Amino acid sequence: MIEAVASDAVITGFVPIYYGDALVLFDLGSTYMYVSSYFSLYLDMSHDSLAIFYVSTVVGDSILVDRVYRACVVNIRGYEMRIDLLLHNMVDFDVILGMDWLFPYHAILDCHAKTKTLAMPRLSGLEWKVQLVIFLVREFLF
């Protein structure tokens, strides 16, 4: 048996969402965007019901998703964007921003420099530093 350990750096940071600073995970592996049940209380807005669907997690679990908060305001260095956040019972982060958010804003995540850049044509390289970087280690057994 050969053991291999892979280290995946993930980028997190505090981002103003509605009236509070959310601890955000910028997740290239996530298709959707999520808000925790706890942080959703600070959104001060109602949610819409969805047809129930399941989303697979990185650890192989499935979570039920049936509610969405539409047009939540995200403010990054004075630039406001609106996003739809699916309700998720998570505890480690307030918000997860996945490919639905990263792709249209031409996001560039630089783990080494600990920066995030939005490189949209109408923005002039909106860049900001993260407050925190967490390293997750996954162990693989062969």
Side-chain angles (χ1 to χ4, degrees):
M1 183 184 319
I2 299 171
E3 291 188 27
V5 177
S7 176
D8 294 330
V10 295
I11 296 182
T12 67
F14 288 93
V15 175
I17 297 181
Y18 242 71
Y19 300 110
D21 285 340
L23 177 57
V24 174
L25 168 65
F26 296 87
D27 187 358
L28 295 172
S30 178
T31 303
Y32 303 108
M33 297 168 291
Y34 302 95
V35 62
S36 70
S37 301
Y38 176 76
F39 192 79
S40 70
L41 300 174
Y42 295 100
L43 295 179
D44 193 29
M45 62 189 302
S46 61
H47 64 313
D48 291 339
S49 295
L50 296 171
I52 295 173
F53 68 97
Y54 291 88
V55 177
S56 296
T57 67
V58 77
V59 294
D61 295 333
S62 292
I63 59 166
L64 170 88
V65 176
D66 64 353
R67 290 177 271 175
V68 62
Y69 290 87
R70 299 205 184 271
C72 297
V73 176
V74 176
N75 186 322
I76 297 177
R77 300 193 62 199
Y79 183 77
E80 288 191 355
M81 297 158 267
R82 298 201 179 266
I83 60 173
D84 294 342
L85 295 170
L86 300 172
L87 188 63
H88 182 343
N89 290 323
M90 60 185 161
V91 294
D92 295 327
F93 301 100
D94 298 321
V95 171
I96 295 174
L97 294 179
M99 289 305 290
D100 275 2
W101 182 81
L102 297 167
F103 182 76
Y105 290 104
H106 301 254
I108 300 167
L109 305 178
D110 185 338
C111 294
H112 180 73
K114 299 178 185 175
T115 60
K116 297 177 285 284
T117 304
L118 301 182
M120 294 182 346
R122 64 179 183 233
L123 293 177
S124 58
L126 179 61
E127 179 179 284
W128 73 106
K129 290 242 180 219
V130 296
Q131 289 84 1
L132 160 72
V133 174
I134 298 172
F135 290 94
L136 299 178
V137 176
R138 295 190 186 122
E139 292 184 15
F140 300 96
L141 299 176
F142 296 98

